[in-house]
Amino acid sequence: MTISKVGVVGAGSMGSGIANLAAISGFQVILHDVEQKFLDNGLSRINKFMEKSVAKGKMTEEQKKEVLERIQVTTNLEDFKQADIVIEAVIEDLEVKKSVFAKLDQITSDHVILATNTSSMSITEIASATNRPERVAGMHFFNPAQIMKLVEVVRGYKTSDETVVELKEFAKKLNKEPVEVKKDTPGFIVNRIMIPQFIEAIKLLEEGVATAEDIDKAVTLGLNYPMGPFTLQDFAGVDIGYYVMEYMKNEFNDNRFAPPMLLKQLVRAGRLGRKTGAGFYDYD
Ligand SMILES: NC(=O)c1ccc[n+]([C@@H]2O[C@H](COP(=O)([O-])OP(=O)(O)OC[C@H]3O[C@@H](n4cnc5c(N)ncnc54)[C@H](O)[C@@H]3O)[C@@H](O)[C@H]2O)c1
């Protein structure tokens, strides 16, 4: 399958990053969101990222302009008729994702791969909203998508071998390192390991064992991670971790994954991390 036009649904942190990555890698991109203001926000994030690349000498002004010209934005999903592959990056809500996939199934050609960037949710269930479950898979990028090297290619129950091979090849064309997740399990590989670490870090904070700053310092210096758990949750969005925990708890029927009270309170108070100016830390 030859891919020239990449469709991305959702222009938030991940969707805009994936659209930017695909355009940097030379693909034509159609980026969709429900309202123009979300597309404007996405484009401004893309602009900011590339301004930094220009300032660091990684890209020229001219190359930046060419990348931007390859990104078309739209609020009309029908424009995905021309897409050769679609990556969905809307909010982490199964019903919203299923409704997007049902629409994409009607709009795009039968052979088009419909991939989801879900952090945790069942690929099999998302695929069940379509008539082509063999062409549906997870393509899980990490934040920021332009920089982080890993992509988890996740099989749903009916995902074909051909789809997995094509997605791995596509990931390589985006200059990523794909790993195959052979079974559709909540959280895949990375979040299955990382989420329990977040939970333990929050419990240490709740128990008064150490401050958030010291827990972050302990993890960065003791485990040699580039970011501590609180810095990372604020960066990725406190709400994302919360939804992933709820989902994993319910799917595994295991309270080990239940979000701690402090996390629930932050979400209820709208402290969702850097994107809202405050999370575990204050940013103003
Ligand atoms: N943030 C991360 O670090 C991270 C990392 C990997 C994967 N993910 C996953 O990527 C997905 C997106 O996460 P995000 O952090 O970019 O969220 P976000 O809240 O920043 O962006 C979501 C975007 O989807 C749009 N949207 C909502 N419903 C839509 C619809 N029906 N059609 C089109 N657009 C719609 C919203 O307007 C918003 O712009 C989630 O599934 C999340 O779990 C997130």
Side-chain angles (χ1 to χ4, degrees), residues 9-15 32-34 38 45 88-92 96-97 99-100 103 117-120 140-143 236-237 239-240 244 275:
V9 193
S13 319
M14 291 307 293
H32 167 272
D33 209 303
V34 282
F38 299 127
R45 263 194 297 267
E88 165 276 314
V90 306
I91 48 169
E92 189 76 345
V96 175
K97 288 190 188 289
S99 105
V100 168
K103 286 184 205 148
N117 184 49
T118 177
S119 302
S120 61
H140 184 212
F141 292 84
F142 293 80
N143 194 6
D239 50 332
I240 302 275
V244 173
K275 62 185 171 188

PDB file of all heavy atoms in Angstrom, residues 9-15 32-34 38 45 88-92 96-97 99-100 103 117-120 140-143 236-237 239-240 244 275, ligand 1:
ATOM      1  N   VAL A   9      -7.275  12.590  13.211  1.00  0.00           N
ATOM      2  CA  VAL A   9      -8.511  13.087  13.829  1.00  0.00           C
ATOM      3  C   VAL A   9      -8.205  13.547  15.251  1.00  0.00           C
ATOM      4  O   VAL A   9      -7.728  12.745  16.059  1.00  0.00           O
ATOM      5  CB  VAL A   9      -9.607  11.995  13.881  1.00  0.00           C
ATOM      6  CG1 VAL A   9     -10.952  12.630  14.231  1.00  0.00           C
ATOM      7  CG2 VAL A   9      -9.683  11.236  12.588  1.00  0.00           C
ATOM      8  N   GLY A  10      -8.507  14.814  15.553  1.00  0.00           N
ATOM      9  CA  GLY A  10      -8.215  15.372  16.873  1.00  0.00           C
ATOM     10  C   GLY A  10      -6.932  16.185  16.802  1.00  0.00           C
ATOM     11  O   GLY A  10      -5.874  15.647  16.456  1.00  0.00           O
ATOM     12  N   ALA A  11      -7.040  17.488  17.082  1.00  0.00           N
ATOM     13  CA  ALA A  11      -5.868  18.375  16.951  1.00  0.00           C
ATOM     14  C   ALA A  11      -5.333  18.795  18.314  1.00  0.00           C
ATOM     15  O   ALA A  11      -4.801  19.890  18.477  1.00  0.00           O
ATOM     16  CB  ALA A  11      -6.236  19.596  16.110  1.00  0.00           C
ATOM     17  N   GLY A  12      -5.488  17.915  19.328  1.00  0.00           N
ATOM     18  CA  GLY A  12      -4.971  18.220  20.665  1.00  0.00           C
ATOM     19  C   GLY A  12      -3.467  18.010  20.735  1.00  0.00           C
ATOM     20  O   GLY A  12      -2.780  18.040  19.702  1.00  0.00           O
ATOM     21  N   SER A  13      -2.957  17.752  21.963  1.00  0.00           N
ATOM     22  CA  SER A  13      -1.509  17.590  22.144  1.00  0.00           C
ATOM     23  C   SER A  13      -0.969  16.530  21.191  1.00  0.00           C
ATOM     24  O   SER A  13       0.023  16.737  20.486  1.00  0.00           O
ATOM     25  CB  SER A  13      -1.166  17.119  23.555  1.00  0.00           C
ATOM     26  OG  SER A  13      -1.931  17.755  24.511  1.00  0.00           O
ATOM     27  N   MET A  14      -1.628  15.360  21.161  1.00  0.00           N
ATOM     28  CA  MET A  14      -1.090  14.252  20.376  1.00  0.00           C
ATOM     29  C   MET A  14      -1.395  14.399  18.889  1.00  0.00           C
ATOM     30  O   MET A  14      -0.511  14.220  18.051  1.00  0.00           O
ATOM     31  CB  MET A  14      -1.652  12.916  20.899  1.00  0.00           C
ATOM     32  CG  MET A  14      -1.143  12.532  22.256  1.00  0.00           C
ATOM     33  SD  MET A  14       0.658  12.544  22.399  1.00  0.00           S
ATOM     34  CE  MET A  14       1.115  11.199  21.330  1.00  0.00           C
ATOM     35  N   GLY A  15      -2.645  14.732  18.564  1.00  0.00           N
ATOM     36  CA  GLY A  15      -3.026  14.836  17.153  1.00  0.00           C
ATOM     37  C   GLY A  15      -2.181  15.862  16.416  1.00  0.00           C
ATOM     38  O   GLY A  15      -1.702  15.618  15.303  1.00  0.00           O
ATOM     39  N   HIS A  32      -8.082  17.013  11.432  1.00  0.00           N
ATOM     40  CA  HIS A  32      -9.490  17.338  11.693  1.00  0.00           C
ATOM     41  C   HIS A  32      -9.741  17.549  13.183  1.00  0.00           C
ATOM     42  O   HIS A  32      -9.156  16.864  14.032  1.00  0.00           O
ATOM     43  CB  HIS A  32     -10.364  16.180  11.190  1.00  0.00           C
ATOM     44  CG  HIS A  32     -11.787  16.236  11.674  1.00  0.00           C
ATOM     45  ND1 HIS A  32     -12.203  15.684  12.865  1.00  0.00           N
ATOM     46  CD2 HIS A  32     -12.884  16.788  11.118  1.00  0.00           C
ATOM     47  CE1 HIS A  32     -13.495  15.895  13.021  1.00  0.00           C
ATOM     48  NE2 HIS A  32     -13.936  16.560  11.976  1.00  0.00           N
ATOM     49  N   ASP A  33     -10.630  18.491  13.502  1.00  0.00           N
ATOM     50  CA  ASP A  33     -11.162  18.598  14.866  1.00  0.00           C
ATOM     51  C   ASP A  33     -12.589  19.107  14.740  1.00  0.00           C
ATOM     52  O   ASP A  33     -13.026  19.493  13.651  1.00  0.00           O
ATOM     53  CB  ASP A  33     -10.292  19.524  15.751  1.00  0.00           C
ATOM     54  CG  ASP A  33     -10.358  19.119  17.228  1.00  0.00           C
ATOM     55  OD1 ASP A  33     -11.467  19.073  17.785  1.00  0.00           O
ATOM     56  OD2 ASP A  33      -9.298  18.841  17.825  1.00  0.00           O
ATOM     57  N   VAL A  34     -13.306  19.099  15.872  1.00  0.00           N
ATOM     58  CA  VAL A  34     -14.730  19.433  15.788  1.00  0.00           C
ATOM     59  C   VAL A  34     -14.986  20.928  15.596  1.00  0.00           C
ATOM     60  O   VAL A  34     -16.014  21.325  15.073  1.00  0.00           O
ATOM     61  CB  VAL A  34     -15.504  18.912  17.022  1.00  0.00           C
ATOM     62  CG1 VAL A  34     -15.760  17.423  16.894  1.00  0.00           C
ATOM     63  CG2 VAL A  34     -14.758  19.203  18.314  1.00  0.00           C
ATOM     64  N   PHE A  38     -10.107  24.641  17.914  1.00  0.00           N
ATOM     65  CA  PHE A  38      -9.196  23.557  18.307  1.00  0.00           C
ATOM     66  C   PHE A  38      -8.114  23.354  17.243  1.00  0.00           C
ATOM     67  O   PHE A  38      -6.973  23.026  17.547  1.00  0.00           O
ATOM     68  CB  PHE A  38      -9.953  22.252  18.546  1.00  0.00           C
ATOM     69  CG  PHE A  38     -10.974  22.353  19.644  1.00  0.00           C
ATOM     70  CD1 PHE A  38     -12.296  21.978  19.436  1.00  0.00           C
ATOM     71  CD2 PHE A  38     -10.624  22.832  20.896  1.00  0.00           C
ATOM     72  CE1 PHE A  38     -13.245  22.082  20.451  1.00  0.00           C
ATOM     73  CE2 PHE A  38     -11.547  22.944  21.920  1.00  0.00           C
ATOM     74  CZ  PHE A  38     -12.869  22.569  21.686  1.00  0.00           C
ATOM     75  N   ARG A  45       0.433  25.204  18.190  1.00  0.00           N
ATOM     76  CA  ARG A  45       1.407  24.298  18.838  1.00  0.00           C
ATOM     77  C   ARG A  45       2.451  23.812  17.823  1.00  0.00           C
ATOM     78  O   ARG A  45       3.642  23.736  18.122  1.00  0.00           O
ATOM     79  CB  ARG A  45       0.683  23.081  19.429  1.00  0.00           C
ATOM     80  CG  ARG A  45       0.388  23.222  20.912  1.00  0.00           C
ATOM     81  CD  ARG A  45      -0.005  21.884  21.493  1.00  0.00           C
ATOM     82  NE  ARG A  45      -1.225  21.404  20.877  1.00  0.00           N
ATOM     83  CZ  ARG A  45      -2.444  21.616  21.369  1.00  0.00           C
ATOM     84  NH1 ARG A  45      -2.600  22.272  22.497  1.00  0.00           N
ATOM     85  NH2 ARG A  45      -3.510  21.165  20.755  1.00  0.00           N
ATOM     86  N   GLU A  88      -6.429   8.191  14.624  1.00  0.00           N
ATOM     87  CA  GLU A  88      -7.379   8.892  15.494  1.00  0.00           C
ATOM     88  C   GLU A  88      -6.691   9.255  16.802  1.00  0.00           C
ATOM     89  O   GLU A  88      -6.037   8.404  17.416  1.00  0.00           O
ATOM     90  CB  GLU A  88      -8.608   7.990  15.717  1.00  0.00           C
ATOM     91  CG  GLU A  88      -9.525   8.381  16.848  1.00  0.00           C
ATOM     92  CD  GLU A  88      -9.044   7.847  18.186  1.00  0.00           C
ATOM     93  OE1 GLU A  88      -8.663   6.661  18.273  1.00  0.00           O
ATOM     94  OE2 GLU A  88      -9.015   8.647  19.149  1.00  0.00           O
ATOM     95  N   ALA A  89      -6.814  10.541  17.201  1.00  0.00           N
ATOM     96  CA  ALA A  89      -6.231  10.994  18.478  1.00  0.00           C
ATOM     97  C   ALA A  89      -7.220  11.924  19.179  1.00  0.00           C
ATOM     98  O   ALA A  89      -6.877  13.034  19.580  1.00  0.00           O
ATOM     99  CB  ALA A  89      -4.890  11.681  18.233  1.00  0.00           C
ATOM    100  N   VAL A  90      -8.483  11.480  19.302  1.00  0.00           N
ATOM    101  CA  VAL A  90      -9.465  12.277  20.046  1.00  0.00           C
ATOM    102  C   VAL A  90      -9.368  11.893  21.522  1.00  0.00           C
ATOM    103  O   VAL A  90      -8.544  11.057  21.903  1.00  0.00           O
ATOM    104  CB  VAL A  90     -10.917  12.075  19.512  1.00  0.00           C
ATOM    105  CG1 VAL A  90     -10.966  12.345  18.012  1.00  0.00           C
ATOM    106  CG2 VAL A  90     -11.457  10.688  19.812  1.00  0.00           C
ATOM    107  N   ILE A  91     -10.204  12.508  22.355  1.00  0.00           N
ATOM    108  CA  ILE A  91     -10.120  12.268  23.797  1.00  0.00           C
ATOM    109  C   ILE A  91     -10.262  10.771  24.139  1.00  0.00           C
ATOM    110  O   ILE A  91     -10.860  10.018  23.382  1.00  0.00           O
ATOM    111  CB  ILE A  91     -11.200  13.080  24.566  1.00  0.00           C
ATOM    112  CG1 ILE A  91     -12.569  12.900  23.884  1.00  0.00           C
ATOM    113  CG2 ILE A  91     -10.814  14.535  24.679  1.00  0.00           C
ATOM    114  CD1 ILE A  91     -13.708  13.429  24.705  1.00  0.00           C
ATOM    115  N   GLU A  92      -9.725  10.405  25.309  1.00  0.00           N
ATOM    116  CA  GLU A  92      -9.696   8.990  25.726  1.00  0.00           C
ATOM    117  C   GLU A  92     -11.081   8.584  26.243  1.00  0.00           C
ATOM    118  O   GLU A  92     -11.296   8.408  27.443  1.00  0.00           O
ATOM    119  CB  GLU A  92      -8.604   8.806  26.791  1.00  0.00           C
ATOM    120  CG  GLU A  92      -8.286   7.373  27.180  1.00  0.00           C
ATOM    121  CD  GLU A  92      -7.437   6.613  26.152  1.00  0.00           C
ATOM    122  OE1 GLU A  92      -7.310   7.082  25.011  1.00  0.00           O
ATOM    123  OE2 GLU A  92      -6.927   5.543  26.516  1.00  0.00           O
ATOM    124  N   VAL A  96     -16.798   8.017  22.248  1.00  0.00           N
ATOM    125  CA  VAL A  96     -16.417   9.035  21.252  1.00  0.00           C
ATOM    126  C   VAL A  96     -15.553   8.380  20.173  1.00  0.00           C
ATOM    127  O   VAL A  96     -15.765   8.576  18.975  1.00  0.00           O
ATOM    128  CB  VAL A  96     -15.656  10.212  21.919  1.00  0.00           C
ATOM    129  CG1 VAL A  96     -15.159  11.204  20.873  1.00  0.00           C
ATOM    130  CG2 VAL A  96     -16.544  10.925  22.930  1.00  0.00           C
ATOM    131  N   LYS A  97     -14.603   7.546  20.603  1.00  0.00           N
ATOM    132  CA  LYS A  97     -13.716   6.889  19.623  1.00  0.00           C
ATOM    133  C   LYS A  97     -14.531   5.986  18.699  1.00  0.00           C
ATOM    134  O   LYS A  97     -14.335   5.983  17.482  1.00  0.00           O
ATOM    135  CB  LYS A  97     -12.620   6.083  20.342  1.00  0.00           C
ATOM    136  CG  LYS A  97     -11.563   6.994  20.989  1.00  0.00           C
ATOM    137  CD  LYS A  97     -10.369   6.205  21.476  1.00  0.00           C
ATOM    138  CE  LYS A  97      -9.400   7.034  22.293  1.00  0.00           C
ATOM    139  NZ  LYS A  97      -8.617   8.016  21.558  1.00  0.00           N
ATOM    140  N   SER A  99     -17.620   6.218  17.846  1.00  0.00           N
ATOM    141  CA  SER A  99     -18.453   6.979  16.893  1.00  0.00           C
ATOM    142  C   SER A  99     -17.575   7.561  15.775  1.00  0.00           C
ATOM    143  O   SER A  99     -17.982   7.580  14.607  1.00  0.00           O
ATOM    144  CB  SER A  99     -19.286   8.037  17.628  1.00  0.00           C
ATOM    145  OG  SER A  99     -18.776   9.307  17.445  1.00  0.00           O
ATOM    146  N   VAL A 100     -16.355   7.984  16.112  1.00  0.00           N
ATOM    147  CA  VAL A 100     -15.427   8.471  15.073  1.00  0.00           C
ATOM    148  C   VAL A 100     -15.095   7.334  14.097  1.00  0.00           C
ATOM    149  O   VAL A 100     -15.115   7.517  12.882  1.00  0.00           O
ATOM    150  CB  VAL A 100     -14.130   9.040  15.714  1.00  0.00           C
ATOM    151  CG1 VAL A 100     -13.050   9.275  14.673  1.00  0.00           C
ATOM    152  CG2 VAL A 100     -14.430  10.333  16.473  1.00  0.00           C
ATOM    153  N   LYS A 103     -17.914   6.526  11.670  1.00  0.00           N
ATOM    154  CA  LYS A 103     -17.995   7.525  10.581  1.00  0.00           C
ATOM    155  C   LYS A 103     -16.862   7.318   9.578  1.00  0.00           C
ATOM    156  O   LYS A 103     -17.080   7.346   8.365  1.00  0.00           O
ATOM    157  CB  LYS A 103     -17.915   8.946  11.158  1.00  0.00           C
ATOM    158  CG  LYS A 103     -19.188   9.396  11.854  1.00  0.00           C
ATOM    159  CD  LYS A 103     -19.047  10.849  12.301  1.00  0.00           C
ATOM    160  CE  LYS A 103     -19.969  11.111  13.476  1.00  0.00           C
ATOM    161  NZ  LYS A 103     -19.444  12.101  14.411  1.00  0.00           N
ATOM    162  N   ASN A 117      -4.727   6.095  18.435  1.00  0.00           N
ATOM    163  CA  ASN A 117      -3.617   6.435  19.325  1.00  0.00           C
ATOM    164  C   ASN A 117      -4.020   6.267  20.800  1.00  0.00           C
ATOM    165  O   ASN A 117      -3.394   6.828  21.688  1.00  0.00           O
ATOM    166  CB  ASN A 117      -3.202   7.884  19.039  1.00  0.00           C
ATOM    167  CG  ASN A 117      -1.985   8.317  19.828  1.00  0.00           C
ATOM    168  OD1 ASN A 117      -0.980   7.624  19.855  1.00  0.00           O
ATOM    169  ND2 ASN A 117      -2.083   9.459  20.496  1.00  0.00           N
ATOM    170  N   THR A 118      -5.083   5.498  21.039  1.00  0.00           N
ATOM    171  CA  THR A 118      -5.509   5.318  22.440  1.00  0.00           C
ATOM    172  C   THR A 118      -4.342   4.881  23.327  1.00  0.00           C
ATOM    173  O   THR A 118      -3.473   4.118  22.888  1.00  0.00           O
ATOM    174  CB  THR A 118      -6.663   4.288  22.558  1.00  0.00           C
ATOM    175  OG1 THR A 118      -6.975   4.120  23.944  1.00  0.00           O
ATOM    176  CG2 THR A 118      -6.310   2.938  21.959  1.00  0.00           C
ATOM    177  N   SER A 119      -4.357   5.354  24.583  1.00  0.00           N
ATOM    178  CA  SER A 119      -3.285   5.013  25.528  1.00  0.00           C
ATOM    179  C   SER A 119      -3.541   3.670  26.193  1.00  0.00           C
ATOM    180  O   SER A 119      -2.644   3.119  26.826  1.00  0.00           O
ATOM    181  CB  SER A 119      -3.222   6.045  26.648  1.00  0.00           C
ATOM    182  OG  SER A 119      -3.024   7.321  26.144  1.00  0.00           O
ATOM    183  N   SER A 120      -4.776   3.177  26.140  1.00  0.00           N
ATOM    184  CA  SER A 120      -5.085   2.006  26.964  1.00  0.00           C
ATOM    185  C   SER A 120      -6.240   1.166  26.453  1.00  0.00           C
ATOM    186  O   SER A 120      -6.374   0.012  26.823  1.00  0.00           O
ATOM    187  CB  SER A 120      -5.464   2.485  28.369  1.00  0.00           C
ATOM    188  OG  SER A 120      -6.614   3.317  28.311  1.00  0.00           O
ATOM    189  N   HIS A 140       0.260   3.619  18.809  1.00  0.00           N
ATOM    190  CA  HIS A 140       0.371   4.418  20.024  1.00  0.00           C
ATOM    191  C   HIS A 140       1.692   5.178  20.054  1.00  0.00           C
ATOM    192  O   HIS A 140       2.757   4.584  20.237  1.00  0.00           O
ATOM    193  CB  HIS A 140       0.239   3.499  21.251  1.00  0.00           C
ATOM    194  CG  HIS A 140       0.238   4.228  22.554  1.00  0.00           C
ATOM    195  ND1 HIS A 140       0.756   3.701  23.710  1.00  0.00           N
ATOM    196  CD2 HIS A 140      -0.218   5.457  22.881  1.00  0.00           C
ATOM    197  CE1 HIS A 140       0.612   4.576  24.690  1.00  0.00           C
ATOM    198  NE2 HIS A 140       0.035   5.650  24.215  1.00  0.00           N
ATOM    199  N   PHE A 141       1.569   6.490  19.863  1.00  0.00           N
ATOM    200  CA  PHE A 141       2.729   7.393  19.908  1.00  0.00           C
ATOM    201  C   PHE A 141       2.912   7.897  21.333  1.00  0.00           C
ATOM    202  O   PHE A 141       2.013   7.798  22.163  1.00  0.00           O
ATOM    203  CB  PHE A 141       2.487   8.597  18.991  1.00  0.00           C
ATOM    204  CG  PHE A 141       2.452   8.272  17.528  1.00  0.00           C
ATOM    205  CD1 PHE A 141       1.289   7.810  16.921  1.00  0.00           C
ATOM    206  CD2 PHE A 141       3.590   8.434  16.742  1.00  0.00           C
ATOM    207  CE1 PHE A 141       1.262   7.514  15.563  1.00  0.00           C
ATOM    208  CE2 PHE A 141       3.566   8.141  15.391  1.00  0.00           C
ATOM    209  CZ  PHE A 141       2.397   7.681  14.796  1.00  0.00           C
ATOM    210  N   PHE A 142       4.062   8.502  21.582  1.00  0.00           N
ATOM    211  CA  PHE A 142       4.350   9.062  22.907  1.00  0.00           C
ATOM    212  C   PHE A 142       4.585  10.565  22.765  1.00  0.00           C
ATOM    213  O   PHE A 142       4.899  11.051  21.676  1.00  0.00           O
ATOM    214  CB  PHE A 142       5.530   8.303  23.531  1.00  0.00           C
ATOM    215  CG  PHE A 142       5.118   6.886  23.830  1.00  0.00           C
ATOM    216  CD1 PHE A 142       5.081   5.925  22.815  1.00  0.00           C
ATOM    217  CD2 PHE A 142       4.669   6.531  25.088  1.00  0.00           C
ATOM    218  CE1 PHE A 142       4.625   4.638  23.060  1.00  0.00           C
ATOM    219  CE2 PHE A 142       4.210   5.243  25.340  1.00  0.00           C
ATOM    220  CZ  PHE A 142       4.195   4.291  24.328  1.00  0.00           C
ATOM    221  N   ASN A 143       4.419  11.264  23.853  1.00  0.00           N
ATOM    222  CA  ASN A 143       4.372  12.730  23.841  1.00  0.00           C
ATOM    223  C   ASN A 143       5.748  13.334  24.156  1.00  0.00           C
ATOM    224  O   ASN A 143       6.312  12.964  25.178  1.00  0.00           O
ATOM    225  CB  ASN A 143       3.346  13.141  24.921  1.00  0.00           C
ATOM    226  CG  ASN A 143       2.925  14.582  24.806  1.00  0.00           C
ATOM    227  OD1 ASN A 143       3.282  15.281  23.871  1.00  0.00           O
ATOM    228  ND2 ASN A 143       2.164  15.034  25.789  1.00  0.00           N
ATOM    229  N   ALA A 236       2.007  15.333  30.542  1.00  0.00           N
ATOM    230  CA  ALA A 236       1.123  14.541  29.664  1.00  0.00           C
ATOM    231  C   ALA A 236      -0.349  14.905  29.849  1.00  0.00           C
ATOM    232  O   ALA A 236      -1.166  14.672  28.962  1.00  0.00           O
ATOM    233  CB  ALA A 236       1.323  13.059  29.943  1.00  0.00           C
ATOM    234  N   GLY A 237      -0.704  15.481  30.976  1.00  0.00           N
ATOM    235  CA  GLY A 237      -2.115  15.749  31.296  1.00  0.00           C
ATOM    236  C   GLY A 237      -2.526  14.824  32.428  1.00  0.00           C
ATOM    237  O   GLY A 237      -2.567  13.607  32.250  1.00  0.00           O
ATOM    238  N   ASP A 239      -5.366  14.393  33.711  1.00  0.00           N
ATOM    239  CA  ASP A 239      -6.632  13.704  33.413  1.00  0.00           C
ATOM    240  C   ASP A 239      -6.410  12.428  32.587  1.00  0.00           C
ATOM    241  O   ASP A 239      -7.110  11.436  32.764  1.00  0.00           O
ATOM    242  CB  ASP A 239      -7.607  14.637  32.690  1.00  0.00           C
ATOM    243  CG  ASP A 239      -6.995  15.346  31.489  1.00  0.00           C
ATOM    244  OD1 ASP A 239      -5.769  15.566  31.470  1.00  0.00           O
ATOM    245  OD2 ASP A 239      -7.752  15.680  30.555  1.00  0.00           O
ATOM    246  N   ILE A 240      -5.395  12.468  31.708  1.00  0.00           N
ATOM    247  CA  ILE A 240      -5.143  11.286  30.854  1.00  0.00           C
ATOM    248  C   ILE A 240      -4.804  10.089  31.747  1.00  0.00           C
ATOM    249  O   ILE A 240      -5.388   9.014  31.615  1.00  0.00           O
ATOM    250  CB  ILE A 240      -3.976  11.544  29.859  1.00  0.00           C
ATOM    251  CG1 ILE A 240      -4.258  12.752  28.964  1.00  0.00           C
ATOM    252  CG2 ILE A 240      -3.632  10.303  29.055  1.00  0.00           C
ATOM    253  CD1 ILE A 240      -5.079  12.488  27.735  1.00  0.00           C
ATOM    254  N   VAL A 244      -6.895   6.542  32.220  1.00  0.00           N
ATOM    255  CA  VAL A 244      -6.234   5.266  31.940  1.00  0.00           C
ATOM    256  C   VAL A 244      -6.343   4.354  33.177  1.00  0.00           C
ATOM    257  O   VAL A 244      -6.646   3.165  33.063  1.00  0.00           O
ATOM    258  CB  VAL A 244      -4.762   5.478  31.516  1.00  0.00           C
ATOM    259  CG1 VAL A 244      -4.024   4.149  31.391  1.00  0.00           C
ATOM    260  CG2 VAL A 244      -4.693   6.237  30.190  1.00  0.00           C
ATOM    261  N   LYS A 275      -1.165  22.103  30.797  1.00  0.00           N
ATOM    262  CA  LYS A 275      -2.141  22.682  29.868  1.00  0.00           C
ATOM    263  C   LYS A 275      -3.150  23.588  30.564  1.00  0.00           C
ATOM    264  O   LYS A 275      -3.744  24.453  29.924  1.00  0.00           O
ATOM    265  CB  LYS A 275      -2.850  21.585  29.067  1.00  0.00           C
ATOM    266  CG  LYS A 275      -3.665  20.588  29.873  1.00  0.00           C
ATOM    267  CD  LYS A 275      -4.214  19.482  28.966  1.00  0.00           C
ATOM    268  CE  LYS A 275      -4.839  18.369  29.796  1.00  0.00           C
ATOM    269  NZ  LYS A 275      -5.212  17.195  28.993  1.00  0.00           N
TER     270      LYS A 275
HETATM  271  N1  LIG B   1      -1.200  13.187  26.189  1.00  0.00           N
HETATM  272  C1  LIG B   1      -0.392  12.156  26.085  1.00  0.00           C
HETATM  273  O1  LIG B   1       0.716  12.155  26.625  1.00  0.00           O
HETATM  274  C2  LIG B   1      -0.801  10.953  25.275  1.00  0.00           C
HETATM  275  C3  LIG B   1       0.192  10.056  24.860  1.00  0.00           C
HETATM  276  C4  LIG B   1      -0.163   8.975  24.045  1.00  0.00           C
HETATM  277  C5  LIG B   1      -1.499   8.788  23.696  1.00  0.00           C
HETATM  278  N2  LIG B   1      -2.455   9.672  24.123  1.00  0.00           N
HETATM  279  C6  LIG B   1      -3.836   9.456  23.662  1.00  0.00           C
HETATM  280  O2  LIG B   1      -4.071  10.298  22.549  1.00  0.00           O
HETATM  281  C7  LIG B   1      -5.443  10.691  22.525  1.00  0.00           C
HETATM  282  C8  LIG B   1      -5.524  12.210  22.526  1.00  0.00           C
HETATM  283  O3  LIG B   1      -4.900  12.705  23.689  1.00  0.00           O
HETATM  284  P1  LIG B   1      -4.457  14.232  23.824  1.00  0.00           P
HETATM  285  O4  LIG B   1      -3.575  14.311  24.995  1.00  0.00           O
HETATM  286  O5  LIG B   1      -4.016  14.737  22.510  1.00  0.00           O
HETATM  287  O6  LIG B   1      -5.874  14.909  24.188  1.00  0.00           O
HETATM  288  P2  LIG B   1      -6.314  16.435  24.018  1.00  0.00           P
HETATM  289  O7  LIG B   1      -7.435  16.627  24.981  1.00  0.00           O
HETATM  290  O8  LIG B   1      -5.134  17.337  24.029  1.00  0.00           O
HETATM  291  O9  LIG B   1      -6.904  16.460  22.513  1.00  0.00           O
HETATM  292  C9  LIG B   1      -8.062  15.792  22.116  1.00  0.00           C
HETATM  293  C10 LIG B   1      -8.635  16.538  20.909  1.00  0.00           C
HETATM  294  O10 LIG B   1      -9.692  15.745  20.348  1.00  0.00           O
HETATM  295  C11 LIG B   1     -10.702  16.620  19.922  1.00  0.00           C
HETATM  296  N3  LIG B   1     -11.949  15.876  19.776  1.00  0.00           N
HETATM  297  C12 LIG B   1     -12.812  15.478  20.738  1.00  0.00           C
HETATM  298  N4  LIG B   1     -13.842  14.788  20.181  1.00  0.00           N
HETATM  299  C13 LIG B   1     -13.617  14.769  18.844  1.00  0.00           C
HETATM  300  C14 LIG B   1     -14.319  14.226  17.731  1.00  0.00           C
HETATM  301  N5  LIG B   1     -15.456  13.557  17.897  1.00  0.00           N
HETATM  302  N6  LIG B   1     -13.802  14.410  16.491  1.00  0.00           N
HETATM  303  C15 LIG B   1     -12.629  15.080  16.325  1.00  0.00           C
HETATM  304  N7  LIG B   1     -11.925  15.617  17.331  1.00  0.00           N
HETATM  305  C16 LIG B   1     -12.409  15.459  18.590  1.00  0.00           C
HETATM  306  C17 LIG B   1     -10.743  17.696  20.995  1.00  0.00           C
HETATM  307  O11 LIG B   1     -11.407  18.870  20.511  1.00  0.00           O
HETATM  308  C18 LIG B   1      -9.259  17.904  21.267  1.00  0.00           C
HETATM  309  O12 LIG B   1      -8.718  18.913  20.439  1.00  0.00           O
HETATM  310  C19 LIG B   1      -6.099  10.017  23.721  1.00  0.00           C
HETATM  311  O13 LIG B   1      -6.653   8.795  23.321  1.00  0.00           O
HETATM  312  C20 LIG B   1      -4.922   9.799  24.664  1.00  0.00           C
HETATM  313  O14 LIG B   1      -5.148   8.753  25.557  1.00  0.00           O
HETATM  314  C21 LIG B   1      -2.128  10.760  24.880  1.00  0.00           C
END
